[in-house]
Amino acid sequence: MGIKRLDNVAIVVESLDEAVGFFEKLGMSLDGRTMVQGDFADRTVGLSGIRSEIAVLKTPDGHSRVELTQYLQPEPIATAPSAPNQIGMHRLMFAVDDIEETIEHIGAEPLDGIANYEDTYRLCYLRGPSGIIVALAQEL
């Protein structure tokens, strides 16, 4: 008995369209988009009167998914973007072929440049929509 697989990582965002566009630029593809509401949603999440729109995106290999949620009800709670050393969800990391090309394509800036880890990986963190920290890793 135990887990069979990781189905997805869910992230609440301010703008679903903006977040979907960002992850599509990274190379993910939309797997589905729908409204979520009703008793099952309230009971699952532990909030009352949920009405949200979700989009699920998958990686090119089809093994990993990100679920983006924009709450319409109850009103979402804005927070400051997380810091890399803040307790809680830290970041999403994606393997890329060319780190500079990817950064240029998505129009983002690394938090503090691109680092070389033991001549094995080139790594950087950047901010996506709603302050999400995204890490990119290029194997050398």
Side-chain angles (χ1 to χ4, degrees):
M1 185 157 138
I3 63 171
K4 296 193 307 187
R5 68 179 175 271
L6 174 67
D7 277 338
N8 66 59
V9 173
I11 304 170
V12 176
V13 297
E14 294 175 77
S15 167
L16 194 59
D17 290 334
E18 179 185 3
V20 166
F22 175 84
F23 285 101
E24 285 179 329
K25 277 186 176 180
L26 269 174
M28 298 185 82
S29 60
L30 187 63
D31 198 30
R33 189 168 173 159
T34 191
M35 294 296 293
V36 176
Q37 59 188 359
D39 184 59
F40 85 93
D42 293 358
R43 292 178 56 90
T44 300
V45 177
L47 297 171
S48 296
I50 286 179
R51 199 164 76 80
S52 63
E53 185 175 7
I54 67 167
V56 177
L57 294 106
K58 63 183 176 183
T59 55
D61 66 3
H63 294 294
S64 302
R65 288 176 170 66
V66 172
E67 178 183 303
L68 304 170
T69 303
Q70 181 178 351
Y71 277 89
L72 306 172
Q73 288 179 299
E75 190 162 322
I77 299 168
T79 61
S82 64
N85 63 338
Q86 184 173 330
I87 294 172
M89 187 179 143
H90 181 62
R91 50 103 175 117
L92 297 172
M93 179 175 272
F94 295 97
V96 298
D97 292 324
D98 184 311
I99 202 165
E100 280 96 356
E101 183 179 290
T102 302
I103 290 167
E104 184 178 327
H105 180 71
I106 63 175
E109 292 291 325
L111 295 184
D112 192 21
I114 298 170
N116 184 320
Y117 176 71
E118 297 182 355
D119 293 323
T120 306
Y121 285 96
R122 298 184 71 223
L123 304 161
C124 75
Y125 281 15
L126 53 91
R127 289 226 183 257
S130 300
I132 299 166
I133 297 175
V134 173
L136 301 177
Q138 175 186 340
E139 192 171 6
L140 298 175

